[in-house]
Amino acid sequence: MSALTLTHARFQLIETSRTPIAIVGSAIWPAASMLAFVVPYAGDDPHFATFATASMLTFAVMSTNLFSYGVGVADDRVQPWDPYVRTLAAGALPRFAGRLLAGLALMAVALLPVVLISAFLTAATLSPARFVLAALCVALISVPFILMGLAIGYSMPPKAAVVVAQVLFLPLAFGGGLMTAPGWAPGFVETVGPFLPTGGAVRLMWAAVGEYPFSPASLVSLLTWTIALAGVALWAYRRDEGRRFS
């Protein structure tokens, strides 16, 4: 990992830390949902508490990346500093890698309260092997949401990016089945959920943490969304570059 990448990551984290609500906001929804719904209603049941924690972790991954990359990138694009950074000889890769590292750090901050609430206030249990598998799964499911955020950030102005991120994250959470236990969602959610990025992601998380059958369709769905969103993000980035230097 180059020093330039770490420098860009440090810069992004310093910029974000100047607006603490940006850090707190990404963690508050999943943590508040754990405290309001999981702890009082499913906290004493190891089975449901474990699955609920997996759902809230997926929720945190989605919301953090939508806002960190979607709103963050859109805001950076209108700053006078951004066009200057793009002209530097280092190129786009260290800057992009630095943004990725900073986003992953913010995602870890958002995940930590959910893990702590689950560990100390619920009966959720996880073996060491399952914990490692869940951690790897979190890294995997973060990719399509990072790309979704980048697609929003590079294609829209800041005000529009905020609105789109806010409009997307609750329907994606509900439609993917993140708000209910496995198999307890309304019929149309059970039908549509596996084909949404949130639905594919949470089903992989459920399979990682408990006795939930692994669904190849969920993995295929997630990979399909990843490829599609990568294409949209790349198109949005190139269009933005073309507009700036044409």
Side-chain angles (χ1 to χ4, degrees):
M1 188 179 299
S2 71
L4 283 173
T5 296
L6 295 176
T7 299
H8 278 288
R10 184 165 61 89
F11 170 76
Q12 291 289 337
L13 290 172
I14 290 173
E15 281 292 300
T16 304
S17 68
R18 289 173 178 167
T19 312
I21 191 62
I23 301 174
V24 175
S26 63
I28 196 167
W29 272 100
S33 298
M34 285 286 292
L35 291 172
F37 303 111
V38 178
V39 173
Y41 299 111
D44 295 331
D45 187 311
H47 177 78
F48 286 111
T50 302
F51 282 130
T53 300
S55 296
M56 290 301 103
L57 289 174
T58 306
F59 189 101
V61 168
M62 175 195 64
S63 60
T64 303
N65 288 312
L66 274 181
F67 286 96
S68 293
Y69 293 101
V71 180
V73 169
D75 187 61
D76 285 350
R77 286 170 51 232
V78 300
Q79 303 301 321
W81 176 252
D82 188 65
Y84 169 71
V85 172
R86 293 191 183 203
T87 64
L88 298 178
L93 184 59
R95 183 163 55 93
F96 179 79
R99 181 180 291 282
L100 184 65
L101 285 177
L104 292 174
L106 293 175
M107 186 177 75
V109 171
L111 295 175
L112 185 60
V114 175
V115 174
L116 292 177
I117 290 169
S118 177
F120 292 106
L121 299 180
T122 77
T125 58
L126 211 59
S127 68
R130 291 273 187 186
F131 182 85
V132 172
L133 185 59
L136 293 174
C137 195
V138 164
L140 174 65
I141 67 173
S142 69
V143 176
F145 299 111
I146 290 173
L147 294 170
M148 186 182 295
L150 291 173
I152 293 170
Y154 280 118
S155 62
M156 299 178 185
K159 290 183 179 179
V162 171
V163 172
V164 170
Q166 289 176 334
V167 167
L168 281 178
F169 89 104
L170 277 179
L172 281 175
F174 181 76
L178 273 60
M179 302 302 190
T180 58
W184 283 31
F188 75 94
V189 173
E190 291 291 334
T191 301
V192 175
F195 301 101
L196 296 176
T198 42
V202 77
R203 282 159 178 78
L204 290 178
M205 286 293 295
W206 289 338
V209 302
E211 300 303 321
Y212 185 85
F214 170 74
S215 171
S218 297
L219 182 58
V220 171
S221 172
L222 200 65
L223 291 175
T224 302
W225 277 104
T226 300
I227 294 169
L229 290 168
V232 175
L234 181 61
W235 167 80
Y237 177 78
R238 287 179 173 174
R239 188 187 69 159
D240 185 59
E241 287 283 293
R243 286 180 174 180
R244 288 176 180 272
F245 298 107
S246 58

